[in-house]
């Protein structure tokens, strides 16, 4: 971390929605992530809320960083209502920095097929999926920056 100034920003992921179990479209079925929350209003003024696909955290982060050596910054804020990031006080943002490691691997048997999936996303030793599981069904605005 002492050479942070020399690091290059590789990717910035901005998520805004609700913490939940997101479909992975593979044998794992679902994993912790951020669901897209889309509000629509009918001509009669009825508000419809759709929790669309979303961002399956461990699967997407494994795809982005894999086995390479990366540094990441994760910042987020949660609440009971949708979050407007322009109105968030910087003092209440949870932040995690450090080496990033992601895993998302399926295990199979020749006899029974799919068995389980190992998954994880740690930043500076902080288990981000485990932290998010404490915020299930709450709204979140999360920004992940990946550096090399």
């Amino acid at each position: 971390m002492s050479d942070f100034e020399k690091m290059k920003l590789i990717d910035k992921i901005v998520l805004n929605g609700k913490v939940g179990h997101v479909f992975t479209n593979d044998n794992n079925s679902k994993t912790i992530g951020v669901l897209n929350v889309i509000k629509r209003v009918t001509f009669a003024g009825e508000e419809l809320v759709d929790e669309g696909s979303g961002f399956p955290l461990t699967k997407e982060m494994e795809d982005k960083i894999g086995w390479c050596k990366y540094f990441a910054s994760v910042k987020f804020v949660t609440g009971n209502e949708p979050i407007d990031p322009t109105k968030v006080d910087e003092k209440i943002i949870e932040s995690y920095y450090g080496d990033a490691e992601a895993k998302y691997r399926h295990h199979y048997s020749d006899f029974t097929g799919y068995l389980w999936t190992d998954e994880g996303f740690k930043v500076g030793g902080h288990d981000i999926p485990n932290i998010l599981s404490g915020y299930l069904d709450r709204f979140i605005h999360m920004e992940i920056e990946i550096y090399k």
Side-chain angles (χ1 to χ4, degrees), residues 1 8 13-14 16 21 23 29-30 35 51 71 77 83 94 101 105-106 114 116 122 125 137 141:
M1 284 184 46
K8 179 181 176 191
I13 302 153
V14 178
N16 193 302
H21 293 101
F23 285 105
S29 184
K30 290 183 176 183
L35 297 162
E51 291 182 3
F71 179 84
V77 64
I83 296 167
E94 290 191 50
E101 58 181 273
R105 291 186 279 292
H106 300 298
Y114 174 75
W116 74 86
K122 290 186 178 181
D137 296 323
H141 178 85

Side-chain angles (χ1 to χ4, degrees), residues 114-132:
Y114 174 75
L115 297 173
W116 74 86
T117 301
D118 288 334
E119 56 183 316
F121 175 52
K122 290 186 178 181
V123 175
H126 299 280
D127 186 341
I128 303 300
N130 187 45
I131 292 168
L132 289 184

